[in-house]
Amino acid sequence: MKQLKLSNQLCFPVYALSRLVTSHYQPFLGELDLTYPQYLVMLLLWEHRTMTVKALGQALMLDSGTLTPLLKRLEAKKLIKRTRSTEDERVVNIQLTTAGTALKEQAAGIPQQMQQSLGLSQEEVRGLKNLIEPILHRHDKED
Amino acid sequence: MKQLKLSNQLCFPVYALSRLVTSHYQPFLGELDLTYPQYLVMLLLWEHRTMTVKALGQALMLDSGTLTPLLKRLEAKKLIKRTRSTEDERVVNIQLTTAGTALKEQAAGIPQQMQQSLGLSQEEVRGLKNLIEPILHRHDKED
DNA sequence: TAAAATTAAATTGTGTGCAATTTAAAACCA
DNA sequence: TGGTTTTAAATTGCACACAATTTAATTTTA
């Protein structure tokens, strides 16, 4: 049954690559005392300054079951503040603290260093993005 | 700082795709009462019948910290047997039970159904595999 | 407008991943 | 050979992911 050989599955390379990439972030993120998903949240906040939990969840395809405890940990590190919106008390706004904003400087070199660490060529990066992003967008509405 | 925009990171599409793919397995794997990593172990065992924990770990890039509890769950479901080798008592051999072998029939249709569920073309699947696998092999020795 | 439906987070519980340590066995070697 | 090193799993502890449920607030609608 050829189809059930691991080497014939697409799923496995994608899964393995994801973990490989994440593991290469570790040395760099460790210096900032961030995990990889925490770094993704910080990337969004550095870009937008303030976001709701829902907006973070949509951008990262994560639900509150993952985000709530993660955000509480970022708050405990004093990188963000969580405040319930006054116009709509269901909503929680996430905003950067001064320390959270400052961390951006320390993170500036990471994307560059990562590409080196993974040994990827420009073509590979572009090729992967060009293949993957259309697939993700095709499935955007699913969340 | 353009480099720190989420949309300019390679890491995120890879991470998001991996979770998207895994989530699409869920309805199919749920019928077999398997999680996605458990399914990967079963794929290897269907192919090789018997493997050591170490060999499983090398093939899947997972360590005993992940595999030991996972394998205990598969054993609790009576799909595999875990027996310590007599020649080398450090080694644990994992072998399929009759039920574990039988499950292969039920899994036969999954790869086909998955590609449909994800709406991927042959070109996309081939393109992704061709891009990802060389990257993984380049980093094989790292584990 | 009051009840029903929807929405945003939080909570609960299970199963990974993975770093770090521990345990026990086997291999090495001075 | 006896002590050191290496190796294979297991264990411990922490942080995701995610399904399912709960809670509280807002919208919808009958």
Side-chain angles (χ1 to χ4, degrees):
Chain A
M1 230 180 278
K2 241 188 325 219
Q3 285 103 21
L4 286 180
K5 282 186 65 177
L6 182 65
S7 54
N8 291 331
Q9 309 293 318
L10 169 62
C11 63
F12 178 66
V14 171
Y15 162 80
L17 179 64
S18 177
R19 288 187 294 120
L20 179 71
V21 169
T22 302
S23 73
H24 277 252
Y25 271 94
Q26 253 321 111
F28 305 114
L29 295 182
E31 292 189 34
L32 311 192
D33 188 27
L34 290 177
T35 65
Y36 175 68
Q38 288 168 12
Y39 170 69
L40 294 180
V41 168
M42 294 304 287
L43 281 179
L44 282 168
L45 291 174
W46 287 327
E47 201 175 330
H48 301 289
R49 189 123 203 130
T50 291
M51 292 178 82
T52 65
V53 174
K54 180 182 167 60
L56 285 168
Q58 283 173 335
L60 299 175
M61 305 189 203
L62 292 171
D63 67 7
S64 66
T66 301
L67 284 174
T68 296
L70 186 158
L71 293 169
K72 284 182 179 173
R73 283 188 278 273
L74 287 179
E75 189 178 41
K77 292 188 235 192
K78 304 203 186 303
L79 298 176
I80 65 167
K81 233 179 303 185
R82 297 161 65 245
T83 43
R84 211 160 265 277
S85 162
T86 45
E87 314 100 67
D88 186 339
E89 298 226 341
R90 291 170 303 183
V91 173
V92 169
N93 287 117
I94 307 298
Q95 55 195 302
L96 286 172
T97 61
T98 312
T101 306
L103 199 64
K104 185 176 182 179
E105 309 306 320
Q106 283 187 61
I110 290 183
Q112 188 77 38
Q113 294 170 298
M114 273 303 299
Q115 190 163 328
Q116 271 227 326
S117 168
L118 282 166
L120 298 182
S121 66
Q122 293 298 339
E123 291 72 39
E124 284 175 316
V125 172
R126 205 173 20 248
L128 281 170
K129 286 193 62 165
N130 288 344
L131 268 171
I132 295 176
E133 282 173 349
I135 300 173
L136 294 178
H137 291 139
R138 222 178 294 159
H139 289 272
D140 259 355
K141 45 195 162 299
E142 282 174 22
D143 298 302
Chain B
M1 230 180 276
K2 242 193 322 231
Q3 285 104 21
L4 285 181
K5 283 187 65 177
L6 183 65
S7 53
N8 292 331
Q9 309 293 317
L10 169 62
C11 64
F12 177 66
V14 170
Y15 163 79
L17 179 65
S18 176
R19 288 187 296 119
L20 179 71
V21 170
T22 303
S23 72
H24 276 253
Y25 271 95
Q26 253 321 110
F28 305 113
L29 295 182
E31 292 189 33
L32 311 192
D33 188 27
L34 289 177
T35 65
Y36 175 67
Q38 288 168 10
Y39 170 70
L40 294 179
V41 168
M42 293 304 287
L43 281 179
L44 282 167
L45 291 174
W46 287 328
E47 200 175 330
H48 301 288
R49 186 124 205 129
T50 292
M51 292 179 82
T52 65
V53 173
K54 180 182 167 60
L56 284 168
Q58 283 173 336
L60 298 176
M61 307 190 201
L62 292 172
D63 68 7
S64 66
T66 300
L67 283 175
T68 297
L70 186 158
L71 293 169
K72 284 182 177 173
R73 282 180 212 110
L74 287 179
E75 188 178 41
K77 292 189 237 195
K78 306 204 184 301
L79 297 176
I80 65 166
K81 231 179 303 185
R82 297 162 63 247
T83 43
R84 210 161 266 279
S85 161
T86 46
E87 314 100 67
D88 185 340
E89 297 227 339
R90 293 171 300 183
V91 172
V92 169
N93 287 118
I94 307 299
Q95 55 195 302
L96 285 172
T97 62
T98 312
T101 305
L103 199 64
K104 186 176 182 181
E105 309 307 320
Q106 284 187 61
I110 290 184
Q112 187 76 37
Q113 293 170 297
M114 273 304 298
Q115 191 163 328
Q116 269 227 325
S117 167
L118 282 166
L120 299 181
S121 67
Q122 292 298 339
E123 292 72 39
E124 284 175 316
V125 172
R126 204 171 26 246
L128 281 170
K129 286 193 63 165
N130 287 344
L131 268 171
I132 295 175
E133 281 173 350
I135 300 172
L136 294 179
H137 291 139
R138 224 179 292 158
H139 289 272
D140 257 355
K141 46 196 160 300
E142 283 174 22
D143 299 301

